[in-house]
Short mmCIF file of all heavy atoms in Angstrom, two decimals:
data_model
loop_
_atom_site.label_atom_id
_atom_site.label_comp_id
_atom_site.label_asym_id
_atom_site.label_seq_id
_atom_site.Cartn_x
_atom_site.Cartn_y
_atom_site.Cartn_z
N THR A 108 -13.77 -0.02 -8.54
CA THR A 108 -13.95 0.36 -9.93
C THR A 108 -13.30 -0.65 -10.86
O THR A 108 -13.88 -1.05 -11.87
CB THR A 108 -13.37 1.76 -10.18
OG1 THR A 108 -14.05 2.70 -9.34
CG2 THR A 108 -13.54 2.19 -11.62
N LEU A 109 -12.08 -1.06 -10.51
CA LEU A 109 -11.35 -2.02 -11.33
C LEU A 109 -12.15 -3.30 -11.53
O LEU A 109 -12.32 -3.79 -12.65
CB LEU A 109 -10.00 -2.33 -10.65
CG LEU A 109 -9.12 -3.38 -11.31
CD1 LEU A 109 -8.61 -2.87 -12.65
CD2 LEU A 109 -7.95 -3.74 -10.40
N PHE A 110 -12.68 -3.84 -10.43
CA PHE A 110 -13.34 -5.14 -10.53
C PHE A 110 -14.80 -5.04 -10.94
O PHE A 110 -15.35 -5.99 -11.52
CB PHE A 110 -13.16 -5.93 -9.23
CG PHE A 110 -11.77 -6.50 -9.12
CD1 PHE A 110 -10.82 -5.88 -8.34
CD2 PHE A 110 -11.42 -7.61 -9.85
CE1 PHE A 110 -9.53 -6.37 -8.27
CE2 PHE A 110 -10.14 -8.11 -9.79
CZ PHE A 110 -9.18 -7.50 -9.00
N ASP A 111 -15.45 -3.91 -10.68
CA ASP A 111 -16.77 -3.71 -11.27
C ASP A 111 -16.67 -3.76 -12.80
O ASP A 111 -17.53 -4.32 -13.48
CB ASP A 111 -17.37 -2.38 -10.82
CG ASP A 111 -18.17 -2.49 -9.53
OD1 ASP A 111 -18.44 -3.62 -9.09
OD2 ASP A 111 -18.54 -1.44 -8.98
N GLN A 112 -15.64 -3.16 -13.33
CA GLN A 112 -15.44 -3.12 -14.77
C GLN A 112 -15.03 -4.48 -15.33
O GLN A 112 -15.39 -4.84 -16.45
CB GLN A 112 -14.37 -2.08 -15.10
CG GLN A 112 -14.05 -1.92 -16.57
CD GLN A 112 -13.15 -0.74 -16.82
OE1 GLN A 112 -13.61 0.36 -17.06
NE2 GLN A 112 -11.85 -0.97 -16.75
N TYR A 113 -14.29 -5.24 -14.53
CA TYR A 113 -13.66 -6.50 -14.95
C TYR A 113 -14.57 -7.71 -14.74
O TYR A 113 -14.33 -8.79 -15.30
CB TYR A 113 -12.38 -6.65 -14.12
CG TYR A 113 -11.37 -7.66 -14.56
CD1 TYR A 113 -11.26 -8.11 -15.87
CD2 TYR A 113 -10.46 -8.16 -13.63
CE1 TYR A 113 -10.30 -9.02 -16.24
CE2 TYR A 113 -9.48 -9.08 -13.98
CZ TYR A 113 -9.42 -9.50 -15.29
OH TYR A 113 -8.46 -10.42 -15.65
N ALA A 114 -15.63 -7.56 -13.94
CA ALA A 114 -16.37 -8.70 -13.42
C ALA A 114 -16.86 -9.67 -14.50
O ALA A 114 -16.67 -10.89 -14.39
CB ALA A 114 -17.54 -8.21 -12.57
N GLU A 115 -17.51 -9.16 -15.53
CA GLU A 115 -18.14 -10.04 -16.51
C GLU A 115 -17.14 -10.90 -17.27
O GLU A 115 -17.49 -12.00 -17.73
CB GLU A 115 -18.98 -9.22 -17.50
CG GLU A 115 -20.20 -8.55 -16.88
CD GLU A 115 -21.24 -9.57 -16.39
OE1 GLU A 115 -21.22 -10.72 -16.89
OE2 GLU A 115 -22.03 -9.21 -15.51
N ARG A 116 -15.92 -10.44 -17.42
CA ARG A 116 -14.93 -11.23 -18.15
C ARG A 116 -13.86 -11.83 -17.23
O ARG A 116 -12.88 -12.40 -17.70
CB ARG A 116 -14.27 -10.38 -19.24
CG ARG A 116 -13.51 -9.17 -18.74
CD ARG A 116 -12.99 -8.35 -19.93
NE ARG A 116 -12.05 -7.32 -19.54
CZ ARG A 116 -12.36 -6.13 -19.06
NH1 ARG A 116 -13.65 -5.81 -18.93
NH2 ARG A 116 -11.44 -5.25 -18.73
N PHE A 117 -14.08 -11.73 -15.92
CA PHE A 117 -13.08 -12.13 -14.94
C PHE A 117 -12.72 -13.61 -15.05
O PHE A 117 -11.53 -13.97 -15.16
CB PHE A 117 -13.61 -11.81 -13.53
CG PHE A 117 -12.66 -12.14 -12.42
CD1 PHE A 117 -11.58 -11.32 -12.15
CD2 PHE A 117 -12.86 -13.27 -11.63
CE1 PHE A 117 -10.71 -11.61 -11.11
CE2 PHE A 117 -11.99 -13.57 -10.60
CZ PHE A 117 -10.92 -12.74 -10.34
N ASP A 118 -13.70 -14.50 -15.00
CA ASP A 118 -13.41 -15.92 -14.99
C ASP A 118 -12.70 -16.37 -16.26
O ASP A 118 -11.74 -17.14 -16.21
CB ASP A 118 -14.70 -16.73 -14.81
CG ASP A 118 -15.26 -16.62 -13.39
OD1 ASP A 118 -14.67 -15.88 -12.58
OD2 ASP A 118 -16.29 -17.27 -13.11
N LYS A 119 -13.14 -15.88 -17.41
CA LYS A 119 -12.50 -16.27 -18.66
C LYS A 119 -11.07 -15.73 -18.74
O LYS A 119 -10.17 -16.39 -19.27
CB LYS A 119 -13.33 -15.79 -19.85
CG LYS A 119 -14.64 -16.55 -20.03
CD LYS A 119 -15.31 -16.21 -21.33
CE LYS A 119 -16.60 -17.00 -21.49
NZ LYS A 119 -16.37 -18.45 -21.52
N ALA A 120 -10.86 -14.52 -18.22
CA ALA A 120 -9.51 -13.96 -18.21
C ALA A 120 -8.58 -14.81 -17.36
O ALA A 120 -7.43 -15.07 -17.74
CB ALA A 120 -9.54 -12.52 -17.70
N LEU A 121 -9.06 -15.29 -16.23
CA LEU A 121 -8.23 -16.12 -15.37
C LEU A 121 -7.93 -17.48 -16.02
O LEU A 121 -6.85 -18.04 -15.82
CB LEU A 121 -8.90 -16.32 -14.01
CG LEU A 121 -8.92 -15.09 -13.10
CD1 LEU A 121 -9.52 -15.45 -11.75
CD2 LEU A 121 -7.53 -14.50 -12.92
N GLU A 122 -8.87 -18.00 -16.78
CA GLU A 122 -8.60 -19.24 -17.51
C GLU A 122 -7.41 -19.07 -18.45
O GLU A 122 -6.54 -19.93 -18.57
CB GLU A 122 -9.83 -19.66 -18.31
CG GLU A 122 -10.96 -20.23 -17.47
CD GLU A 122 -12.16 -20.58 -18.32
OE1 GLU A 122 -12.01 -20.65 -19.57
OE2 GLU A 122 -13.25 -20.78 -17.76
N ARG A 123 -7.36 -17.92 -19.13
CA ARG A 123 -6.24 -17.66 -20.06
C ARG A 123 -4.92 -17.50 -19.32
O ARG A 123 -3.85 -17.71 -19.91
CB ARG A 123 -6.54 -16.41 -20.89
CG ARG A 123 -7.70 -16.57 -21.87
CD ARG A 123 -7.74 -15.43 -22.86
NE ARG A 123 -8.04 -14.16 -22.22
CZ ARG A 123 -9.27 -13.70 -22.04
NH1 ARG A 123 -10.32 -14.43 -22.40
NH2 ARG A 123 -9.47 -12.53 -21.46
N LEU A 124 -4.99 -17.12 -18.04
CA LEU A 124 -3.78 -16.93 -17.23
C LEU A 124 -3.43 -18.18 -16.43
O LEU A 124 -2.54 -18.14 -15.57
CB LEU A 124 -3.98 -15.75 -16.26
CG LEU A 124 -4.21 -14.39 -16.91
CD1 LEU A 124 -4.54 -13.35 -15.84
CD2 LEU A 124 -2.99 -13.95 -17.72
N ASP A 125 -4.09 -19.31 -16.75
CA ASP A 125 -3.83 -20.58 -16.04
C ASP A 125 -3.96 -20.41 -14.53
O ASP A 125 -3.12 -20.88 -13.75
CB ASP A 125 -2.44 -21.13 -16.39
CG ASP A 125 -2.29 -21.43 -17.86
OD1 ASP A 125 -3.25 -21.93 -18.47
OD2 ASP A 125 -1.20 -21.16 -18.42
N TYR A 126 -5.01 -19.78 -14.10
CA TYR A 126 -5.21 -19.47 -12.70
C TYR A 126 -5.37 -20.74 -11.87
O TYR A 126 -6.17 -21.62 -12.21
CB TYR A 126 -6.45 -18.58 -12.54
CG TYR A 126 -6.76 -18.21 -11.12
CD1 TYR A 126 -5.82 -17.55 -10.33
CD2 TYR A 126 -8.00 -18.53 -10.56
CE1 TYR A 126 -6.11 -17.21 -9.02
CE2 TYR A 126 -8.30 -18.18 -9.26
CZ TYR A 126 -7.35 -17.53 -8.49
OH TYR A 126 -7.64 -17.20 -7.19
N ARG A 127 -4.61 -20.83 -10.77
CA ARG A 127 -4.60 -22.03 -9.93
C ARG A 127 -4.94 -21.72 -8.48
O ARG A 127 -4.72 -22.56 -7.60
CB ARG A 127 -3.21 -22.68 -9.99
CG ARG A 127 -2.80 -23.10 -11.38
CD ARG A 127 -1.36 -23.64 -11.39
NE ARG A 127 -1.19 -24.76 -10.49
CZ ARG A 127 -0.31 -24.80 -9.48
NH1 ARG A 127 0.47 -23.77 -9.23
NH2 ARG A 127 -0.21 -25.88 -8.72
N GLY A 128 -5.45 -20.53 -8.18
CA GLY A 128 -5.73 -20.17 -6.81
C GLY A 128 -6.63 -21.16 -6.07
O GLY A 128 -6.29 -21.60 -4.96
N PRO A 129 -7.80 -21.52 -6.62
CA PRO A 129 -8.67 -22.46 -5.92
C PRO A 129 -7.99 -23.80 -5.64
O PRO A 129 -8.12 -24.35 -4.54
CB PRO A 129 -9.85 -22.63 -6.89
CG PRO A 129 -9.87 -21.35 -7.66
CD PRO A 129 -8.43 -20.98 -7.84
N GLU A 130 -7.25 -24.30 -6.61
CA GLU A 130 -6.54 -25.57 -6.44
C GLU A 130 -5.50 -25.48 -5.32
O GLU A 130 -5.35 -26.39 -4.49
CB GLU A 130 -5.86 -25.92 -7.76
CG GLU A 130 -4.94 -27.14 -7.71
CD GLU A 130 -4.17 -27.32 -9.00
OE1 GLU A 130 -4.61 -26.79 -10.04
OE2 GLU A 130 -3.13 -28.00 -8.97
N LEU A 131 -4.77 -24.36 -5.29
CA LEU A 131 -3.73 -24.20 -4.28
C LEU A 131 -4.31 -24.07 -2.88
O LEU A 131 -3.78 -24.66 -1.92
CB LEU A 131 -2.86 -22.99 -4.61
CG LEU A 131 -1.97 -23.11 -5.84
CD1 LEU A 131 -1.31 -21.77 -6.16
CD2 LEU A 131 -0.91 -24.19 -5.63
#
Side-chain angles (χ1 to χ4, degrees):
T108 300
L109 176 68
F110 284 100
D111 270 349
Q112 180 171 269
Y113 195 24
E115 292 295 338
R116 61 184 191 278
F117 182 77
D118 288 2
K119 289 190 179 298
L121 288 184
E122 286 178 15
R123 292 193 294 271
L124 298 174
D125 299 321
Y126 179 57
R127 300 175 58 237
E130 173 187 339
L131 291 172

